[in-house]
Amino acid sequence: MNLDTPLNALKWLPLQRQRQLERFGLGTVGALLTHFPKRYEDRNQFDRFPSGDTAEPVCVCGIVKKTSVRRIRGSQKMFDVVLEEEAAHALSPPLLCRWFNAHWVEKMIIHGQRLVVYGKPKPSGSGVVIAHPEFEVVEDDAEVSIHLKRIVPIHPATEGLSPRLLRALIWEVLERLCDDEVEPLLPATLDAMPRAWALRQIHFPESWARRDEARRHLVLCEFFAMQVSIAAKRAEQTAQPGAVHATGDALMRRLHAALPFPLTGAQLRSIAEIRADLAAPRPMNRLLHGDVGSGKTLVALSAMLLAVEAGFQAALMAPTQILAEQHYLTLRHLCEPLGLRIALRTAARTEQSGPLPLFESSKEIDDPHILVGTHALLYEGAGFSRLGLAVIDEQHKFGVMQRARLRDQGVAPDVLVMTATPIPRTLTMTLYGDLDVSTLDELPKNRGKIVTAARDAAKLPEAVKFLREHLAAGRQAYIVYPLIDETEKLEAKAAAGESKKWQELLAPMKCELLHGRIAPEEKDAIMERFRRGEAQALIATTVIEVGIDVPNANIMLIENAERFGLAQLHQLRGRIGRGEHKSYCILLRSAKAEGEALEKLRILEETSDGFKIAEADLQMRGPGDILGTAQSGLPPLKLGNPLADHELMRLARNAAFLLFERDPQLAAPENGRYRRVLADGRKLTLSQVS
Ligand code: ADP
Ligand code: MG
């Protein structure tokens, strides 16, 4: 018997059980043994019976003294079990366990049984009650070594497969498992612990220390399998033939020379990294990330110019229409003096800047040099004739699928993925593990300082006074209000209300209103008027999160700030601090805001370092939110947590990449086993992609 053995080959396992396990997704010995415990109970030493509520759940053992069922409110039923502590220290008052409408529990618990109970106690009347505890009837002394007097695993269970049953099954399987048949997965240099030992200890640990060692090994196995498939993909990409998409840099130099500022060191470094990729005859797969305002657009455009000069088309794809339009305007502004044709293709608009004389190659005359659009460009066969570089602006999302799509079209352009916010290193290793990374970790020098202050909404009059002073001195302001309802009617109403309110508060200053329901041409006109200083305040929803760039606007006031996400607030705040004036971001919070919402605002007051904020955001939201999505294309991790275990991820990644560096084909006999890891990992990892 080894890990691949299907459970239906186990003669001792009743057919009905096999079926149940299969339905639960556990079809092989390996699947069963990697069905890891969700928690453990130290049944060497139970907690004492609680005398009030406790911060943590308790795990206690007692004898059932009394059970009773009561009807409450019509057909509702309440089942009470009185549990007494066993003789040795029967000093505590009995504990009441209570279930509502739990028919199956009523049938399981009877007077005189010994019960292990886990849950959070609450004081009730004169005693203590645990509502709907997890519980287990401990009945058979022969099984004591599995279910009692040890650290006992509690596995995720399902109907008909209780934790107790799963525990017994896994015990049985481990009893029969031959350690020699469990191949090591990891290079010995990474971790030499036998995997079978780790599997035994994760389920039935001798001690907490053993459990931790076992977990470390198994997390490394999981991460290593993931990184091996990422490394394999990278090795494959590197081996693929691609075209040379950069030759000269005259266009790019002209662009840079026309800028009123020098590029930052980080921009120059990133451009050099990208240029080397473009010039190499293999496909580029690179991530460009950096803080808000770090100048990603210019880096992307520089790359596009290199491709254009080499005779190729470049495309820029944005996640939303408004962002695509914004990019289009920016690029047109920068590129038309260079004589390039830029086209915008979105669902709503198609626009081409007319053919310009400088780049006349007769047969390409209606062929844009640069195509800007939404991600839909990928699906509509946008009519690329010779796409050399695709820049994918993902904002907060992950374009794993999009990247795949691009390759599916038979073209293998160089790909630059751009994100609106910095990504913590922890995540670039996993989510973007198959990409090279360029980081803009430096803001342009001319950036003014931003002071951020969170204030109670009641302080609005003071904020208004502050605003008025600055507007009177010639500055401009953004006022952001949260979109409360997405429906068109209510949105318009909320916007109109906000607009009226602010117009009155700031009179005689001129306010303009901007929100998502305004037609694109009108939107452009409004932004243009604001840019020219014809309006002093722009009242807006988060549409201003993207692209707007008015250096003279140095104040941002955000109402109900606690409703926005941390990364989003940082992105919004990035609209100010773009000129030489000191900037102010006022976060108004409602009186009801508490807990995490306040913590969020505190972080923003404390730092404007996008990398720190991204990390904090990740900590607060947890990796599940980010990694758990199917669209991330990553395998569901069973044990490891890329955040908490990021050091292990780093180790696993280094080991996997070293392996492929030395033996890209895994041809050496001693590397044969990794081909299996790879095959297994492929099943899970990036399968939607390759
Ligand atoms: P982001 O990285 O947030 O996308 P952008 O590319 O939108 O940043 O750039 C923000 C603003 O900074 C733009 O107005 C851009 O022209 C300007 N900018 C870009 N690079 C520099 C630089 N090196 N020095 C000064 N301003 C710059
Ligand atoms: Mg940008």
Side-chain angles (χ1 to χ4, degrees), residues 463-476:
V464 170
K465 184 161 167 281
F466 183 80
L467 267 170
R468 294 183 64 96
E469 280 166 15
H470 280 264
L471 298 190
R475 302 287 82 73
Q476 288 166 287

Side-chain angles (χ1 to χ4, degrees), residues 45-90:
Q45 202 173 7
F46 288 103
D47 293 325
R48 297 297 313 272
F49 271 38
S51 54
D53 50 358
T54 57
E56 298 293 322
V58 295
C59 178
V60 299
C61 183
I63 303 292
V64 175
K65 246 357 227 204
K66 204 174 112 193
T67 67
S68 64
V69 182
R70 257 192 298 157
R71 280 197 181 283
I72 48 166
R73 273 175 275 122
S75 61
Q76 311 277 13
K77 278 204 295 184
M78 185 167 89
F79 179 53
D80 277 350
V81 172
V82 177
L83 209 60
E84 254 180 14
E85 219 165 3
E86 283 184 80
H89 40 235

